[in-house]
Amino acid sequence: MSNITAAMVKDLREQTGAGMMDCKAALTETAGELEAAVDWLRKKGLSKAAKKAGRVAAEGLVALVVDGNKGVAVEVNSETDFVARNPEFQDLVSGIADVALKVGEDVEAIKAAPFTGGGTVAEKIANTVAKIGEHMSLRRAKVISVRQGALATYVHNPVVSNKGRIGVVVALESTGKTDKLAELGRQIAMHVASANPLAVDASGVDTATVEREKTILADKYREQGKPEAAIAKIVDSGIKTYFKEVTLLEQPFIFDPSKSVGQAIKESEGSAGGPIKVAGFIRFALGEGIEKQESDFAAEVAAQAGHAAA
């Protein structure tokens, strides 16, 4: 049996909101496997963490750049949030985004590409680290484009223009009026930032994710004593509900929850002057999925004071 530590229980509690003893039992039952423990708690009806993306802990900036019908989002991480306000770091992030728009989304290719003003992106990052005195890294980049239509962006709580903690780019494919598409696209981008859908529609949700949801639902109702003949129907209904929660077109539109995003788009086609299709979207939230080592700031200050006095 795996040794279940207090830190493991704490991590599971933060991710699921379940009680301490339930978390300990879940970890014991799953030999300390965190993801399996999350599933175990959900099957018992003790967790609502199905859609939790993970603790957002890393610092830095997410930047967006759009040029015509092509756009890119990049995430550049730093150790502290103070660096995000540093103009030199902001210039670095802007420059990296410009390079990614030309080079593509492969991180290593971006690092090897020339940076405006001389040297490569990797060298520019290294030089900025040396000047500011804090570790930095290009974590990821994503490119999106549309043949005909519009790209719309939204940055939540921007630190500077087109840079902040959450960045969204939405691609609308349409022959409609550009201004109307831009207006609708920005609203959809704001919705994506808020609701965090997994995909545009059900076909875009990873098969493994769907199968995992089905297994969790089936096991949950099986443990409740539901007959096998009924479980299949219950699971089918549950998956339909799941898709309404996690797919963009089926989610309630944040600007009018009485209709879905798909319905809102359909209603906008008249004023736009043509059919509208969501070709895709990018949503980057700073540091999602990265765990940051916690520290006791008061203890650190006390320790420094002790060293100074010695």
Side-chain angles (χ1 to χ4, degrees):
M1 182 183 294
S2 299
N3 182 30
I4 309 303
T5 66
M8 293 164 67
V9 174
K10 178 175 178 291
D11 286 344
L12 186 57
R13 285 192 71 190
E14 290 178 349
Q15 188 165 333
T16 64
M20 183 176 69
M21 296 308 295
D22 290 327
C23 288
K24 186 173 182 180
L27 288 164
T28 301
E29 289 292 327
T30 58
E33 293 291 331
L34 183 61
E35 188 172 284
V38 172
D39 288 352
W40 188 91
L41 287 167
R42 291 184 60 207
K43 291 172 187 177
K44 299 290 185 182
L46 299 171
S47 168
K48 295 181 180 179
K51 300 181 290 300
K52 189 174 177 65
R55 290 164 57 193
V56 178
E59 302 300 338
L61 285 172
V62 169
L64 309 177
V65 174
V66 170
D67 184 10
N69 287 351
K70 184 179 181 183
V72 68
V74 300
E75 178 183 352
V76 182
N77 294 132
S78 61
E79 292 180 53
T80 68
D81 61 347
F82 296 107
V83 171
R85 302 184 185 93
N86 185 305
E88 191 158 356
F89 178 74
Q90 293 169 1
D91 289 343
L92 170 68
V93 176
S94 293
I96 291 174
D98 289 337
V99 171
L101 189 66
K102 299 173 184 176
V103 174
E105 54 195 43
D106 182 86
V107 169
E108 294 307 316
I110 296 170
K111 289 180 182 178
F115 192 90
T116 304
T120 65
V121 169
E123 290 169 342
K124 180 64 176 179
I125 292 173
N127 291 338
T128 308
V129 168
K131 288 181 181 179
I132 296 180
E134 186 169 307
H135 177 66
M136 301 166 196
S137 64
L138 168 61
R139 183 188 180 200
R140 55 181 172 164
K142 185 75 174 176
V143 175
I144 192 169
S145 62
V146 63
R147 289 176 298 175
Q148 186 175 18
L151 294 179
T153 64
Y154 172 69
V155 175
H156 186 64
N157 289 339
V159 176
V160 288
S161 178
N162 292 322
K163 288 179 279 291
R165 298 188 69 87
I166 298 178
V168 177
V169 186
V170 171
L172 297 181
E173 190 173 293
S174 177
T175 57
K177 302 171 186 174
T178 303
D179 59 337
K180 294 296 183 180
L181 294 176
E183 181 182 339
L184 174 64
R186 181 166 174 79
Q187 289 187 331
I188 295 173
M190 293 173 75
H191 174 96
V192 171
S194 174
N196 192 18
L198 294 182
V200 173
D201 54 30
S203 67
V205 181
D206 182 65
T207 303
T209 300
V210 176
E211 290 304 313
R212 180 184 175 191
E213 289 298 318
K214 287 181 177 179
T215 300
I216 290 169
L217 285 169
D219 289 349
K220 177 180 179 179
Y221 289 106
R222 193 170 287 120
E223 289 185 7
Q224 291 179 6
K226 299 288 185 183
E228 288 295 326
I231 288 177
K233 291 182 179 180
I234 295 174
V235 169
D236 184 58
S237 176
I239 288 298
K240 288 178 181 178
T241 299
Y242 173 72
F243 285 143
K244 288 181 180 179
E245 294 173 348
V246 303
T247 60
L248 173 62
L249 296 182
E250 292 199 53
Q251 288 178 329
F253 195 29
I254 61 168
F255 291 96
D256 185 355
S258 68
K259 63 186 70 172
S260 68
V261 173
Q263 289 171 330
I265 292 173
K266 194 68 178 175
E267 290 178 6
S268 299
E269 291 180 344
S271 60
I276 303 171
K277 175 186 176 183
V278 178
F281 66 83
I282 304 169
R283 182 188 186 275
F284 277 5
L286 183 66
E288 58 191 344
I290 297 177
E291 293 291 339
K292 181 179 178 182
Q293 184 176 0
E294 296 181 11
S295 62
D296 186 335
F297 183 70
E300 288 181 8
V301 172
Q304 289 294 327
H307 288 314

